[in-house]
Amino acid sequence: MAKTAIVTGGTRGIGEAISVMLKDQGMTVAANFGGNEERAKAFTDRTGIAAYKWDVGDHEACQEGCARVAEEIGPIDVLVNNAGITRDGTLAKMSYEDWHEVMRVNLGGCFNMAKACFPGMKERGWGRIVNIGSINGQGGQYGQVNYAAAKSGIHGFTKALAQEGARAGITVNALAPGYIDTDMVAAVPEPVLEKIVAKIPVGRLGQAEEIARGVAFLCSDEAGFVTGSTMSINGGQHMY
Ligand code: NDP
């Protein structure tokens, strides 16, 4: 029977590429999104993948959304925590709301979704969770104390949950993308982006499909011995 996967923020950008790649691998995919109905509808028309709207930062909404997916598609075997936002600014200019909203969605969303999906995976003795971190959670970034803290938190969350899932056949990994050509990066001012690209050893932005390929590997049966790790796909921009 086909495995069921949920991809949060799965209707555009990196998430869209992940949804499509997992479908191509034979999974039945539910793509969650936050509010952009127009993009979600276009995505479903294009790919045939069902889209489900809820806010990953809302604990109850995640419980309800995942229950709905399980009922309509099947028990959730694979969770990709991809939904993420930025609210950039230096510490001096960053409001508490900007701090809190990024923590609520980017890090809180991982907790909320794992709470909804992990128990069923444990019961069935198999599961894959991939949390999308960021190069800026690994190395920090000027004007992103909220985003860097949330993404860095994802890496700790991953390692802790991996230990809880290991004996139950559940792997939990993080994937840290470098700069990828999506709407999120399109929002970066052109001169700043030029400086960023100049620092990428391969000399270009990444493509969403290059991230999706890594996620597909981490979600495969063959990746059962990979857990608690961070896969970096960043064109050589951050090496450690
Ligand atoms: P986009 O801004 O292109 O897409 C974000 C997606 O997340 C959308 O589908 C959006 O839904 C969804 N989303 C946002 N907030 C919520 C919410 N509260 N609840 C549910 N869904 C939500 O982002 P990218 O594709 O660029 O990034 C995807 C992930 O990769 C993010 O976690 C990002 O931090 C990370 N990343 C991206 C990098 C890049 O260079 N692009 C680099 C490193 C990490 P909707 O369409 O409804 O708004």
Side-chain angles (χ1 to χ4, degrees):
M1 208 177 113
K3 292 193 166 77
T4 301
I6 292 191
V7 182
T8 69
T11 56
R12 62 188 171 94
I14 293 172
E16 169 168 4
I18 295 170
S19 296
V20 169
M21 188 83 64
L22 295 184
K23 184 185 176 202
D24 289 349
Q25 304 285 315
M27 296 185 192
T28 308
V29 178
N32 150 271
F33 67 103
N36 193 330
E37 307 260 9
E38 204 178 310
R39 292 289 290 270
K41 186 178 177 316
F43 161 84
T44 297
D45 291 346
R46 211 167 39 246
T47 62
I49 297 171
Y52 292 81
K53 179 178 158 184
W54 73 80
D55 174 6
V56 296
D58 179 333
H59 191 75
E60 286 303 312
C62 290
Q63 292 286 333
E64 287 164 18
C66 291
R68 203 179 133 210
V69 170
E71 197 182 303
E72 292 177 8
I73 301 183
I76 297 151
D77 305 298
V78 172
L79 165 63
V80 182
N81 279 315
N82 164 78
I85 57 168
T86 51
R87 296 284 185 274
D88 294 353
T90 57
L91 182 70
K93 290 187 184 150
M94 189 176 289
S95 66
Y96 175 73
E97 287 69 32
D98 289 340
W99 163 265
H100 186 257
E101 186 60 4
V102 169
M103 296 302 283
R104 188 186 75 85
V105 173
N106 294 13
L107 186 54
C110 292
F111 173 79
N112 295 336
M113 289 299 295
K115 280 287 278 184
C117 299
F118 193 82
M121 292 176 179
K122 205 167 173 183
E123 243 175 65
R124 292 185 301 282
W126 196 94
R128 295 285 182 265
I129 299 178
V130 179
N131 303 311
I132 303 299
S134 170
I135 189 171
N136 293 346
Q138 297 172 304
Q141 179 62 276
Y142 185 93
Q144 285 198 323
V145 292
N146 51 1
Y147 185 84
K151 291 297 188 182
S152 183
I154 282 180
H155 298 300
F157 174 85
T158 298
K159 291 177 203 178
L161 191 59
Q163 295 178 34
E164 294 185 27
R167 291 292 170 99
I170 305 167
T171 67
V172 187
N173 291 288
L175 192 152
Y179 283 80
I180 309 300
D181 194 6
T182 68
D183 294 345
M184 187 179 271
V185 164
V188 177
E190 189 61 35
V192 178
L193 197 56
E194 274 173 26
K195 282 188 194 152
I196 290 170
V197 173
K199 285 186 192 151
I200 303 175
V202 302
R204 63 172 175 86
L205 294 175
Q207 295 302 310
E209 289 69 25
E210 294 176 297
I211 302 303
R213 211 168 285 287
V215 173
F217 167 69
L218 294 172
C219 294
S220 67
D221 269 319
E222 291 74 17
F225 202 57
V226 185
T227 195
S229 77
T230 297
M231 181 186 278
S232 296
I233 302 184
N234 60 31
Q237 192 181 351
H238 182 78
M239 303 181 190
Y240 67 103

Coordinates of all heavy atoms in Angstrom, one line a residue, residues 134-231:
S134 N 18.0 25.4 8.1 CA 18.6 26.4 7.2 C 20.1 26.6 7.4 O 20.5 26.4 8.6 CB 17.9 27.7 7.4 OG 18.5 28.8 6.7
I135 N 20.7 27.0 6.4 CA 22.2 27.4 6.5 C 22.3 28.5 7.6 O 23.3 28.6 8.3 CB 22.7 27.8 5.1 CG1 24.2 28.0 5.2 CG2 22.0 29.1 4.6 CD1 24.8 28.2 3.8
N136 N 21.2 29.3 7.7 CA 21.3 30.4 8.6 C 21.0 30.0 10.1 O 21.3 30.8 11.0 CB 20.4 31.6 8.2 CG 20.8 32.2 6.9 OD1 22.0 32.0 6.5 ND2 20.0 32.9 6.2
G137 N 20.6 28.8 10.2 CA 20.5 28.2 11.6 C 21.8 27.6 12.0 O 22.1 27.3 13.1
Q138 N 22.6 27.3 11.0 CA 23.9 26.7 11.2 C 25.0 27.8 11.5 O 25.8 27.7 12.3 CB 24.4 25.8 10.0 CG 23.5 24.6 9.8 CD 23.8 23.9 8.5 OE1 23.8 24.5 7.4 NE2 24.1 22.6 8.6
G139 N 24.9 28.8 10.7 CA 26.0 29.9 10.7 C 25.5 31.2 11.2 O 26.3 32.1 11.3
G140 N 24.2 31.4 11.5 CA 23.7 32.7 11.9 C 23.6 33.6 10.6 O 24.1 33.3 9.6
Q141 N 22.9 34.7 10.8 CA 22.8 35.7 9.7 C 22.4 37.0 10.3 O 21.5 37.1 11.1 CB 21.8 35.2 8.6 CG 21.5 36.2 7.5 CD 22.8 36.4 6.6 OE1 23.6 37.2 7.0 NE2 22.9 35.6 5.5
Y142 N 23.1 38.1 9.8 CA 22.8 39.4 10.2 C 21.3 39.7 10.0 O 20.8 39.5 8.9 CB 23.6 40.4 9.4 CG 23.5 41.8 9.8 CD1 24.4 42.4 10.7 CD2 22.6 42.7 9.2 CE1 24.3 43.7 11.1 CE2 22.4 44.0 9.6 CZ 23.3 44.5 10.5 OH 23.2 45.8 10.9
G143 N 20.6 40.3 11.0 CA 19.2 40.7 10.8 C 18.2 39.5 10.9 O 17.1 39.6 10.5
Q144 N 18.7 38.4 11.4 CA 17.8 37.2 11.5 C 17.9 36.5 12.9 O 17.9 35.3 12.9 CB 18.1 36.2 10.4 CG 17.6 36.6 9.0 CD 17.6 35.4 8.1 OE1 18.4 34.6 8.1 NE2 16.6 35.4 7.2
V145 N 17.9 37.2 14.0 CA 18.1 36.5 15.3 C 16.9 35.6 15.5 O 17.0 34.5 16.0 CB 18.3 37.4 16.5 CG1 19.6 38.1 16.5 CG2 17.1 38.4 16.7
N146 N 15.7 36.0 15.0 CA 14.5 35.1 15.2 C 14.6 33.9 14.4 O 14.5 32.7 14.8 CB 13.2 35.9 15.0 CG 13.2 36.6 13.6 OD1 14.2 36.6 12.8 ND2 12.1 37.4 13.3
Y147 N 14.9 34.1 13.1 CA 14.9 33.0 12.1 C 16.1 32.0 12.4 O 15.9 30.8 12.5 CB 15.0 33.6 10.7 CG 15.0 32.6 9.6 CD1 13.8 32.1 9.0 CD2 16.2 32.1 9.0 CE1 13.8 31.2 8.0 CE2 16.2 31.2 7.9 CZ 14.9 30.8 7.4 OH 14.9 29.9 6.4
A148 N 17.2 32.6 12.7 CA 18.4 31.7 13.0 C 18.2 30.9 14.3 O 18.6 29.7 14.4 CB 19.7 32.6 13.1
A149 N 17.5 31.5 15.3 CA 17.3 30.8 16.6 C 16.3 29.7 16.3 O 16.5 28.6 16.8 CB 16.7 31.8 17.6
A150 N 15.2 30.0 15.6 CA 14.2 28.9 15.3 C 14.8 27.8 14.5 O 14.6 26.6 14.8 CB 13.0 29.5 14.5
K151 N 15.6 28.1 13.5 CA 16.2 27.1 12.6 C 17.2 26.3 13.4 O 17.3 25.1 13.2 CB 16.8 27.7 11.3 CG 15.7 28.2 10.4 CD 14.8 27.1 9.9 CE 13.8 27.6 8.8 NZ 12.9 26.5 8.4
S152 N 18.0 27.0 14.2 CA 19.0 26.3 15.0 C 18.3 25.4 16.0 O 18.7 24.2 16.2 CB 19.8 27.3 15.8 OG 20.8 26.8 16.5
G153 N 17.1 25.8 16.5 CA 16.3 25.0 17.4 C 15.8 23.7 16.7 O 15.8 22.7 17.4
I154 N 15.6 23.8 15.5 CA 15.1 22.7 14.7 C 16.2 21.6 14.7 O 15.9 20.4 14.8 CB 14.7 23.1 13.3 CG1 13.4 23.7 13.2 CG2 14.8 21.8 12.3 CD1 12.9 24.2 11.9
H155 N 17.4 22.0 14.7 CA 18.5 21.0 14.7 C 18.5 20.2 16.0 O 18.7 19.0 16.0 CB 19.8 21.6 14.3 CG 19.8 22.2 12.9 ND1 19.5 21.4 11.8 CD2 19.9 23.4 12.4 CE1 19.5 22.1 10.7 NE2 19.7 23.4 11.0
G156 N 18.4 20.9 17.1 CA 18.3 20.3 18.4 C 17.1 19.4 18.6 O 17.2 18.3 19.1
F157 N 16.0 19.9 18.1 CA 14.7 19.2 18.2 C 14.8 17.9 17.5 O 14.4 16.8 17.9 CB 13.6 20.1 17.5 CG 12.3 19.4 17.3 CD1 11.3 19.4 18.4 CD2 11.9 18.8 16.1 CE1 10.1 18.8 18.2 CE2 10.7 18.2 16.0 CZ 9.8 18.2 17.0
T158 N 15.5 17.9 16.3 CA 15.7 16.7 15.5 C 16.5 15.7 16.2 O 16.1 14.5 16.2 CB 16.4 17.1 14.2 OG1 15.6 18.1 13.5 CG2 16.7 15.9 13.3
K159 N 17.6 16.1 16.8 CA 18.5 15.1 17.5 C 17.8 14.5 18.7 O 18.0 13.3 19.0 CB 19.8 15.8 17.9 CG 20.6 16.2 16.7 CD 21.9 16.9 17.2 CE 22.4 17.8 16.0 NZ 23.6 18.5 16.4
A160 N 17.0 15.3 19.4 CA 16.3 14.7 20.6 C 15.2 13.8 20.2 O 15.1 12.7 20.7 CB 15.7 15.9 21.4
L161 N 14.4 14.2 19.2 CA 13.3 13.3 18.8 C 13.8 12.0 18.1 O 13.2 10.9 18.2 CB 12.3 14.0 17.8 CG 11.0 13.4 17.5 CD1 10.2 13.1 18.8 CD2 10.1 14.2 16.6
A162 N 15.0 12.1 17.4 CA 15.6 10.9 16.8 C 15.8 9.9 17.8 O 15.6 8.7 17.5 CB 16.8 11.3 16.0
Q163 N 16.3 10.3 19.0 CA 16.5 9.3 20.0 C 15.3 8.6 20.5 O 15.3 7.4 20.9 CB 17.3 10.0 21.2 CG 18.7 10.5 20.7 CD 19.4 11.2 21.8 OE1 19.3 10.9 23.0 NE2 20.2 12.2 21.4
E164 N 14.2 9.4 20.5 CA 12.9 8.8 21.0 C 12.3 7.8 19.9 O 11.6 6.9 20.3 CB 11.9 9.9 21.3 CG 12.3 10.8 22.5 CD 11.2 11.8 22.8 OE1 10.0 11.6 22.6 OE2 11.6 12.9 23.4
G165 N 12.6 8.1 18.7 CA 12.0 7.3 17.6 C 12.8 6.1 17.2 O 12.3 5.1 16.6
A166 N 14.1 6.1 17.5 CA 15.0 5.1 16.9 C 14.6 3.6 17.1 O 14.6 2.9 16.1 CB 16.4 5.3 17.5
R167 N 14.2 3.2 18.3 CA 13.8 1.8 18.5 C 12.4 1.5 17.9 O 12.1 0.3 17.9 CB 13.8 1.5 20.0 CG 15.2 1.5 20.6 CD 16.0 0.3 20.0 NE 17.4 0.4 20.4 CZ 18.0 -0.2 21.4 NH1 17.3 -1.0 22.1 NH2 19.3 -0.1 21.7
A168 N 11.7 2.5 17.5 CA 10.4 2.3 17.0 C 10.3 2.4 15.4 O 9.3 2.4 14.8 CB 9.4 3.3 17.6
G169 N 11.5 2.4 14.8 CA 11.6 2.4 13.3 C 11.3 3.8 12.8 O 11.0 3.9 11.6
I170 N 11.4 4.8 13.6 CA 11.1 6.2 13.1 C 12.5 6.9 13.0 O 13.2 7.0 14.0 CB 10.2 6.9 14.1 CG1 8.9 6.2 14.3 CG2 9.9 8.3 13.5 CD1 8.1 6.7 15.5
T171 N 12.8 7.4 11.8 CA 14.0 8.2 11.7 C 13.5 9.7 11.7 O 12.5 10.0 11.2 CB 14.8 7.9 10.4 OG1 14.0 8.3 9.3 CG2 15.2 6.5 10.4
V172 N 14.4 10.5 12.3 CA 14.1 12.0 12.3 C 15.4 12.7 11.9 O 16.4 12.5 12.6 CB 13.7 12.4 13.8 CG1 13.3 13.9 13.8 CG2 12.6 11.5 14.3
N173 N 15.3 13.4 10.8 CA 16.5 14.1 10.3 C 16.2 15.5 10.0 O 15.0 15.9 9.8 CB 17.0 13.4 9.1 CG 17.6 12.0 9.4 OD1 18.7 11.9 10.0 ND2 16.9 11.0 9.1
A174 N 17.2 16.3 9.9 CA 17.0 17.7 9.4 C 17.7 17.9 8.1 O 18.7 17.1 7.8 CB 17.7 18.7 10.4
L175 N 17.2 18.8 7.3 CA 17.9 19.1 6.0 C 18.1 20.6 6.0 O 17.1 21.4 6.2 CB 17.1 18.6 4.8 CG 17.9 18.7 3.5 CD1 17.4 17.7 2.5 CD2 17.8 20.1 2.8
A176 N 19.3 21.1 5.9 CA 19.6 22.5 5.9 C 19.9 23.0 4.5 O 21.0 22.8 4.0 CB 20.8 22.7 6.9
P177 N 19.0 23.7 3.9 CA 19.3 24.2 2.6 C 20.1 25.5 2.7 O 20.0 26.2 3.6 CB 17.9 24.6 2.0 CG 16.9 24.0 2.9 CD 17.6 23.9 4.3
G178 N 20.9 25.7 1.6 CA 21.5 27.0 1.4 C 20.5 27.9 0.7 O 19.3 27.7 0.9
Y179 N 21.0 28.9 -0.1 CA 20.1 29.8 -0.7 C 19.4 29.1 -2.0 O 20.2 28.7 -2.9 CB 20.8 31.1 -1.1 CG 20.9 31.9 0.2 CD1 21.9 31.7 1.1 CD2 20.0 33.0 0.5 CE1 22.1 32.4 2.3 CE2 20.1 33.7 1.6 CZ 21.2 33.5 2.5 OH 21.3 34.2 3.7
I180 N 18.1 29.0 -2.0 CA 17.4 28.3 -3.0 C 16.5 29.4 -3.7 O 15.9 30.2 -3.1 CB 16.5 27.2 -2.4 CG1 17.4 26.3 -1.5 CG2 15.8 26.4 -3.5 CD1 18.6 25.6 -2.1
D181 N 16.4 29.2 -5.0 CA 15.6 30.1 -5.8 C 14.1 30.0 -5.6 O 13.4 29.2 -6.4 CB 16.0 29.8 -7.3 CG 15.5 30.9 -8.2 OD1 15.1 32.0 -7.7 OD2 15.7 30.8 -9.4
T182 N 13.5 30.6 -4.6 CA 12.1 30.6 -4.3 C 11.6 32.0 -4.0 O 12.4 32.9 -3.9 CB 11.8 29.7 -3.1 OG1 12.3 30.3 -1.9 CG2 12.4 28.3 -3.2
D183 N 10.3 32.1 -3.7 CA 9.7 33.4 -3.4 C 10.4 34.0 -2.2 O 10.6 35.2 -2.1 CB 8.2 33.2 -3.0 CG 7.4 32.8 -4.2 OD1 7.8 32.9 -5.3 OD2 6.2 32.4 -3.9
M184 N 10.8 33.1 -1.2 CA 11.5 33.6 0.0 C 12.8 34.4 -0.3 O 13.0 35.5 0.2 CB 11.8 32.5 1.0 CG 12.3 32.9 2.3 SD 12.6 31.5 3.4 CE 11.0 31.3 4.2
V185 N 13.5 33.8 -1.2 CA 14.8 34.5 -1.6 C 14.6 35.6 -2.6 O 15.3 36.6 -2.6 CB 15.8 33.4 -2.2 CG1 16.9 34.0 -2.9 CG2 16.3 32.5 -1.0
A186 N 13.5 35.6 -3.3 CA 13.1 36.7 -4.2 C 12.9 37.9 -3.4 O 13.0 39.1 -4.0 CB 11.9 36.3 -5.1
A187 N 12.5 37.8 -2.2 CA 12.2 38.9 -1.3 C 13.5 39.6 -0.8 O 13.4 40.8 -0.3 CB 11.4 38.5 -0.1
V188 N 14.7 39.0 -1.0 CA 15.9 39.6 -0.6 C 16.3 40.7 -1.7 O 16.3 40.4 -2.9 CB 17.0 38.5 -0.5 CG1 18.4 39.1 -0.2 CG2 16.7 37.4 0.5
P189 N 16.7 41.9 -1.2 CA 17.0 42.9 -2.2 C 18.2 42.5 -3.1 O 19.1 41.8 -2.7 CB 17.5 44.1 -1.3 CG 16.9 43.8 0.0 CD 16.8 42.3 0.2
E190 N 18.1 42.9 -4.4 CA 19.0 42.4 -5.4 C 20.5 42.6 -5.1 O 21.3 41.6 -5.2 CB 18.7 43.1 -6.8 CG 19.4 42.6 -8.0 CD 19.1 41.2 -8.3 OE1 18.0 40.7 -8.1 OE2 20.1 40.5 -8.8
P191 N 20.9 43.8 -4.6 CA 22.3 43.9 -4.2 C 22.8 43.0 -3.1 O 23.9 42.5 -3.2 CB 22.4 45.4 -3.7 CG 21.2 46.0 -4.1 CD 20.1 45.0 -4.3
V192 N 21.9 42.7 -2.2 CA 22.3 41.8 -1.1 C 22.4 40.4 -1.7 O 23.3 39.6 -1.3 CB 21.2 41.8 0.0 CG1 21.5 40.8 1.1 CG2 21.0 43.2 0.6
L193 N 21.4 40.0 -2.6 CA 21.5 38.7 -3.2 C 22.7 38.5 -4.0 O 23.3 37.4 -3.9 CB 20.2 38.5 -4.0 CG 19.9 37.1 -4.4 CD1 19.7 36.2 -3.2 CD2 18.6 37.0 -5.2
E194 N 23.1 39.5 -4.7 CA 24.4 39.4 -5.5 C 25.6 39.1 -4.6 O 26.4 38.2 -4.9 CB 24.7 40.7 -6.2 CG 23.9 40.8 -7.6 CD 24.1 42.1 -8.2 OE1 25.1 42.8 -8.0 OE2 23.2 42.5 -9.0
K195 N 25.6 39.7 -3.4 CA 26.7 39.4 -2.5 C 26.6 38.0 -2.0 O 27.7 37.4 -1.8 CB 26.7 40.4 -1.3 CG 27.2 41.8 -1.7 CD 27.3 42.7 -0.4 CE 27.5 44.1 -0.8 NZ 27.0 45.1 0.1
I196 N 25.4 37.6 -1.7 CA 25.3 36.2 -1.2 C 25.7 35.2 -2.3 O 26.5 34.3 -2.0 CB 23.8 35.9 -0.8 CG1 23.4 36.7 0.4 CG2 23.5 34.4 -0.6 CD1 21.9 36.7 0.8
V197 N 25.3 35.4 -3.5 CA 25.6 34.4 -4.6 C 27.2 34.4 -4.8 O 27.8 33.3 -5.0 CB 24.9 34.7 -5.9 CG1 25.4 33.8 -7.0 CG2 23.4 34.5 -5.7
A198 N 27.8 35.5 -4.6 CA 29.3 35.6 -4.8 C 30.0 34.7 -3.7 O 31.1 34.3 -3.9 CB 29.7 37.1 -4.6
K199 N 29.3 34.4 -2.6 CA 29.9 33.6 -1.6 C 29.6 32.1 -1.7 O 30.0 31.3 -0.9 CB 29.4 34.1 -0.2 CG 30.0 35.4 0.2 CD 29.6 35.7 1.7 CE 29.9 37.1 2.1 NZ 29.0 37.7 3.0
I200 N 28.8 31.8 -2.7 CA 28.5 30.3 -2.9 C 29.5 29.7 -3.8 O 29.6 30.1 -5.0 CB 27.0 30.2 -3.5 CG1 26.0 30.9 -2.6 CG2 26.7 28.7 -3.7 CD1 24.6 30.9 -3.1
P201 N 30.3 28.8 -3.3 CA 31.4 28.2 -4.2 C 30.9 27.7 -5.5 O 31.6 27.9 -6.5 CB 31.9 27.1 -3.3 CG 31.7 27.6 -1.9 CD 30.4 28.3 -1.9
V202 N 29.7 27.1 -5.6 CA 29.3 26.6 -7.0 C 28.8 27.8 -7.8 O 28.5 27.6 -9.0 CB 28.2 25.5 -6.9 CG1 28.7 24.3 -6.1 CG2 26.9 25.9 -6.4
G203 N 28.6 29.0 -7.3 CA 28.4 30.1 -8.1 C 27.0 30.4 -8.5 O 26.7 31.1 -9.5
R204 N 26.0 29.8 -7.9 CA 24.6 30.0 -8.2 C 23.7 29.6 -7.0 O 24.1 29.0 -6.1 CB 24.2 29.1 -9.4 CG 24.3 27.6 -9.1 CD 23.7 26.7 -10.2 NE 23.9 25.3 -9.9 CZ 23.1 24.5 -9.2 NH1 22.0 25.0 -8.6 NH2 23.4 23.2 -9.0
L205 N 22.4 30.1 -7.2 CA 21.4 29.6 -6.2 C 21.1 28.2 -6.4 O 21.3 27.7 -7.5 CB 20.1 30.4 -6.3 CG 20.2 31.9 -6.0 CD1 18.9 32.6 -6.4 CD2 20.5 32.2 -4.5
G206 N 20.6 27.5 -5.4 CA 20.1 26.1 -5.6 C 18.7 26.1 -6.2 O 18.0 27.1 -6.1
Q207 N 18.3 24.9 -6.7 CA 17.0 24.7 -7.2 C 16.2 23.9 -6.1 O 16.7 23.0 -5.5 CB 17.0 24.0 -8.5 CG 17.6 24.8 -9.6 CD 16.9 26.2 -9.8 OE1 15.7 26.2 -10.0 NE2 17.7 27.3 -9.8
A208 N 14.9 24.2 -6.1 CA 14.0 23.5 -5.1 C 14.1 22.0 -5.3 O 14.1 21.2 -4.3 CB 12.6 24.0 -5.2
E209 N 14.2 21.5 -6.5 CA 14.3 20.1 -6.7 C 15.5 19.4 -6.1 O 15.6 18.2 -5.8 CB 14.3 19.8 -8.3 CG 13.0 20.0 -8.9 CD 12.6 21.5 -9.0 OE1 13.5 22.4 -9.0 OE2 11.4 21.8 -9.1
E210 N 16.6 20.2 -6.0 CA 17.8 19.7 -5.4 C 17.7 19.4 -3.9 O 18.3 18.5 -3.4 CB 19.0 20.7 -5.7 CG 19.3 20.7 -7.2 CD 20.4 21.7 -7.5 OE1 20.2 23.0 -7.3 OE2 21.5 21.3 -8.0
I211 N 16.8 20.2 -3.3 CA 16.5 19.9 -1.9 C 15.5 18.7 -1.8 O 15.7 17.9 -0.9 CB 15.8 21.2 -1.2 CG1 16.7 22.4 -1.4 CG2 15.4 20.9 0.2 CD1 18.1 22.2 -0.8
A212 N 14.5 18.7 -2.7 CA 13.5 17.6 -2.7 C 14.2 16.3 -2.8 O 13.8 15.3 -2.2 CB 12.5 17.9 -3.8
R213 N 15.2 16.2 -3.6 CA 15.9 14.9 -3.8 C 16.5 14.4 -2.5 O 16.5 13.2 -2.2 CB 17.0 15.1 -4.9 CG 17.3 13.9 -5.7 CD 18.1 14.2 -6.9 NE 17.4 14.9 -8.0 CZ 16.5 14.4 -8.8 NH1 16.2 13.1 -8.7 NH2 15.9 15.1 -9.7
G214 N 17.1 15.3 -1.8 CA 17.6 14.9 -0.4 C 16.5 14.5 0.5 O 16.7 13.5 1.2
V215 N 15.4 15.2 0.5 CA 14.3 14.8 1.4 C 13.8 13.4 1.0 O 13.5 12.6 1.8 CB 13.1 15.8 1.3 CG1 11.9 15.4 2.0 CG2 13.6 17.2 1.8
A216 N 13.7 13.2 -0.3 CA 13.2 11.9 -0.8 C 14.1 10.8 -0.3 O 13.6 9.7 0.1 CB 13.1 11.9 -2.3
F217 N 15.4 11.0 -0.3 CA 16.3 9.9 0.2 C 16.0 9.7 1.7 O 15.9 8.6 2.1 CB 17.8 10.3 0.0 CG 18.7 9.5 0.7 CD1 18.9 8.1 0.4 CD2 19.4 9.9 1.9 CE1 19.7 7.3 1.1 CE2 20.2 9.1 2.6 CZ 20.4 7.8 2.2
L218 N 15.9 10.8 2.5 CA 15.8 10.6 3.9 C 14.4 10.0 4.2 O 14.3 9.4 5.3 CB 15.9 12.0 4.6 CG 17.2 12.7 4.6 CD1 17.2 14.1 5.1 CD2 18.3 11.8 5.4
C219 N 13.5 10.1 3.3 CA 12.1 9.5 3.6 C 12.1 8.0 3.0 O 11.0 7.4 3.2 CB 11.0 10.3 2.9 SG 10.8 11.9 3.6
S220 N 13.1 7.5 2.4 CA 13.0 6.2 1.8 C 13.3 5.1 2.8 O 13.8 5.3 3.9 CB 14.1 6.1 0.7 OG 15.4 6.1 1.2
D221 N 12.9 3.9 2.5 CA 13.2 2.7 3.3 C 14.7 2.5 3.5 O 15.1 2.1 4.5 CB 12.6 1.4 2.6 CG 11.2 1.1 3.0 OD1 10.9 1.3 4.2 OD2 10.4 0.8 2.1
E222 N 15.4 2.8 2.4 CA 16.9 2.6 2.4 C 17.6 3.5 3.4 O 18.8 3.2 3.7 CB 17.4 2.9 0.9 CG 17.0 1.9 -0.1 CD 15.5 2.0 -0.5 OE1 14.9 3.1 -0.3 OE2 15.0 1.0 -1.1
A223 N 17.0 4.6 3.8 CA 17.6 5.5 4.8 C 17.4 5.2 6.2 O 17.5 6.0 7.1 CB 17.2 6.9 4.5
G224 N 17.0 3.9 6.5 CA 16.7 3.5 7.9 C 17.8 3.6 8.9 O 17.5 3.7 10.1
F225 N 19.0 3.7 8.4 CA 20.2 3.8 9.4 C 20.6 5.3 9.5 O 21.6 5.6 10.3 CB 21.3 3.0 8.9 CG 22.3 2.6 10.0 CD1 21.9 1.9 11.1 CD2 23.7 2.9 9.9 CE1 22.8 1.5 12.1 CE2 24.6 2.5 10.8 CZ 24.2 1.9 12.0
V226 N 19.9 6.2 8.8 CA 20.2 7.6 8.9 C 19.2 8.3 9.9 O 18.1 8.4 9.5 CB 20.1 8.3 7.5 CG1 20.6 9.8 7.6 CG2 20.9 7.6 6.5
T227 N 19.7 8.7 11.0 CA 18.8 9.4 12.0 C 19.5 10.3 12.8 O 20.7 10.1 13.2 CB 17.9 8.4 12.8 OG1 16.8 9.1 13.3 CG2 18.7 7.7 13.9
G228 N 18.9 11.4 13.2 CA 19.5 12.5 14.0 C 20.6 13.3 13.3 O 21.3 14.0 13.9
S229 N 20.5 13.2 11.9 CA 21.6 13.8 11.2 C 21.1 15.1 10.5 O 19.8 15.3 10.4 CB 22.2 12.9 10.1 OG 21.3 12.8 9.0
T230 N 22.0 15.9 10.1 CA 21.6 17.1 9.3 C 22.3 17.0 7.9 O 23.5 16.9 7.8 CB 22.1 18.4 10.0 OG1 21.4 18.5 11.2 CG2 21.8 19.6 9.1
M231 N 21.4 17.0 6.9 CA 22.0 16.9 5.5 C 22.1 18.4 5.1 O 21.1 19.1 5.1 CB 21.0 16.1 4.6 CG 21.5 16.1 3.2 SD 20.3 15.3 2.1 CE 20.6 13.6 2.4

